[in-house]
Amino acid sequence: MTQDVPKTMIQIARESGETETTPPVDLGARVRELRKARNWTLEQAANQAGLARSTLSKIENGQMSPTYEALKKLAVGLEISVPQLFTPPSVGQINGRMAITKSDEGAAKATTTYEHMMLADTLRKKQMLPYRARIRARKMDEFDGWVRHDGEEFLYVLTGVIILYTEFYEPVEMRRGDSAYYDATMGHNVVSTSDEDATILWVTSLI
């Protein structure tokens, strides 16, 4: 009987959200939205695209399916690419999410080498995982090999002194205010060298 290997907090964070699907874009509504964003009348937009006004009106009202040639003319007239005609506007994705984490109110996740304080823990489906870490480790042999995972990572030293060990670079001593941005698939570990355990801010991409 084998034991399940415990998941890291980064693996848990990547799996924390439910699968989302993007609804198909209504081409007519999208074309109308793009036209109105430019303050063009049907006549102006049709002239810009080289289409008949009646054709553009039927496209916007879903009364006809345009040919690819018509789509190309529309895209050129609107100064966008054809795929953008079927892409939801970014403004529609704004949802005003925000999370405040007061000092020492984050969710604690301790390991033998690090003591993590998760930030913005109430938000799900994040694209970044921010957390503050107290570095308990003092020597590399306290780690069970390299830490590595998908994505990119940003490290900022808040207090104390650390040494950042990476798989392909020489160890680097870092002090308060120093930072590093690196490929997290590359093996990496951090140890404290100051009298007190150093603290750092880590931000890990989840996409």
Side-chain angles (χ1 to χ4, degrees), residues 25-182:
V25 173
D26 181 331
L27 176 62
R30 177 71 169 137
V31 170
R32 185 184 304 109
E33 177 184 51
L34 290 166
R35 172 175 65 80
K36 289 187 175 181
R38 290 158 175 74
N39 293 316
W40 289 348
T41 64
L42 268 172
E43 191 78 34
Q44 289 172 318
N47 289 338
Q48 192 76 11
L51 296 172
R53 182 187 181 282
S54 59
T55 299
L56 181 57
S57 177
K58 288 178 181 178
I59 292 173
E60 287 193 2
N61 289 297
Q63 296 174 350
M64 70 172 289
S65 297
T67 63
Y68 184 69
E69 287 302 314
L71 287 175
K72 284 199 296 185
K73 288 183 178 181
L74 269 175
V76 170
L78 293 167
E79 298 179 336
I80 60 174
S81 66
V82 171
Q84 284 177 290
L85 289 171
F86 300 92
T87 304
S90 58
V91 67
Q93 299 168 4
I94 296 174
N95 56 23
R97 295 200 308 167
M98 183 172 75
I100 303 294
T101 306
K102 295 286 189 176
S103 179
D104 298 323
E105 288 186 358
K109 307 284 184 182
T111 69
T112 57
T113 51
Y114 303 139
E115 184 176 315
H116 299 303
M117 182 70 70
M118 310 305 296
L119 308 175
D121 193 50
T122 57
L123 287 184
R124 296 294 178 262
K125 302 171 186 173
K126 295 190 289 287
Q127 296 186 14
M128 299 181 294
L129 178 65
Y131 50 102
R132 189 172 73 245
R134 173 184 164 196
I135 310 303
R136 293 174 168 177
R138 295 285 170 164
K139 297 179 295 183
M140 274 290 286
D141 60 14
E142 295 180 46
F143 295 90
D144 185 20
W146 290 112
V147 172
R148 52 163 63 90
H149 48 84
D150 290 340
E152 296 181 327
E153 199 156 68
F154 175 77
L155 175 160
Y156 183 91
V157 182
L158 298 171
T159 65
V161 183
I162 66 168
I163 293 181
L164 171 62
Y165 291 91
T166 55
E167 193 172 6
F168 305 129
Y169 297 87
E170 291 296 317
V172 181
E173 182 180 271
M174 301 177 66
R175 298 173 177 269
R176 179 179 177 179
D178 292 345
S179 64
Y181 188 107
Y182 50 88

